[in-house]
Amino acid sequence: KMQHPPMPEAITAAFQSFSPKHRPIMATLRGLIFDVATADPRVGALEETLRWAEPAYLTTQTKAGSTIRLGVDKASALPALFFNCNTTLVEDFRSQFDGVLTFSKNRAILVEPAAFDPIPLRLCIAAALTYHLRRK
């Protein structure tokens, strides 16, 4: 298992604000984001910060990707990976993984902890973290 960077205090506080039942899956998603970033040298070091008081992951160093944010979808109350809605990311994911993953509009992948499958999520995270490389 790969080592993930220690959680900054502000991020720890944000994780504490998630409901206890969501925290394990949120920690798993955080780990997936770091694993995917580490596996692709083009991504560079991630900046872990807060956006809308929620943990967000930015490719500040390389500008390779689009921000990924961890949060809870208000409508479904499910943990979610949020993406920039001004990108085509979620529509791309939907065309690839419809029936495999669950989506919220053009902004999020909803994560049903009972049906958690890291493989399509890894591919989506990788696509987000390299989004700008494909746009050039």
Side-chain angles (χ1 to χ4, degrees):
K1 190 168 152 31
M2 282 193 230
Q3 277 301 93
H4 302 129
M7 217 181 256
E9 251 175 75
I11 303 296
T12 303
F15 268 82
Q16 292 305 317
S17 74
F18 291 131
S19 88
K21 69 174 186 196
H22 289 333
R23 280 180 214 149
I25 197 80
M26 293 300 195
T28 300
L29 292 171
R30 176 186 188 263
L32 269 185
I33 292 168
F34 278 107
D35 288 350
V36 169
T38 307
D40 188 337
R42 299 172 302 166
V43 173
L46 291 183
E47 179 187 353
E48 186 173 28
T49 186
L50 294 177
R51 289 287 185 271
W52 298 283
E54 293 173 331
Y57 302 85
L58 288 70
T59 58
T60 312
Q61 191 187 36
T62 61
K63 309 266 190 276
S66 180
T67 300
I68 303 173
R69 183 166 50 88
L70 293 178
V72 176
D73 176 61
K74 288 184 181 53
S76 66
L78 284 172
L81 287 163
F82 288 94
F83 301 92
N84 183 326
C85 56
N86 299 322
T87 66
T88 58
L89 283 165
V90 174
E91 63 195 63
D92 296 346
F93 302 159
R94 194 179 265 118
S95 67
Q96 244 180 315
F97 296 112
D98 192 39
V100 178
L101 297 173
T102 308
F103 302 95
S104 171
K105 301 189 186 80
N106 66 337
R107 46 192 238 103
I109 297 173
L110 305 180
V111 180
E112 179 64 77
F116 179 74
D117 182 353
I119 293 159
L121 289 175
R122 276 177 177 277
L123 295 168
C124 294
I125 290 166
L129 294 177
T130 56
Y131 181 75
H132 294 299
L133 300 178
R134 290 190 304 285
R135 290 285 171 253
K136 290 202 164 90

